[in-house]
């Protein structure tokens, strides 16, 4: 799992030039992750 996190961190860092870029990228990643979790929970709850 640590390997996946390291690769993700490198991928995020390569597109960021400023601290603001990092902040915006992490906000978007967090938003997308939460959305995916919520959609999965809803699908499980509804039995899809």
């Amino acid at each position: 799992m640590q390997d996946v996190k390291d690769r993700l961190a490198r991928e995020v860092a390569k597109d960021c030039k400023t601290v603001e870029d990092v902040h915006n990228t992490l906000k978007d990643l967090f938003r997308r992750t939460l959305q995916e979790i919520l959609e999965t929970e809803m699908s499980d709850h509804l039995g899809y």
Side-chain angles (χ1 to χ4, degrees):
M1 183 65 159
Q2 187 61 38
D3 206 33
V4 172
K5 291 177 185 177
D6 290 342
R7 281 184 285 156
L8 180 59
R10 280 192 297 276
E11 189 67 29
V12 168
K14 98 175 162 183
D15 293 331
C16 296
K17 304 295 183 224
T18 66
V19 173
E20 187 176 347
D21 290 345
V22 173
H23 179 76
N24 290 333
T25 300
L26 291 176
K27 272 184 14 183
D28 186 48
L29 180 60
F30 187 68
R31 180 186 57 77
R32 290 178 185 205
T33 302
L34 284 178
Q35 184 67 36
E36 185 67 30
I37 290 168
L38 293 172
E39 287 176 8
T40 299
E41 285 183 351
M42 185 59 75
S43 292
D44 287 347
H45 178 71
L46 296 174
Y48 294 147

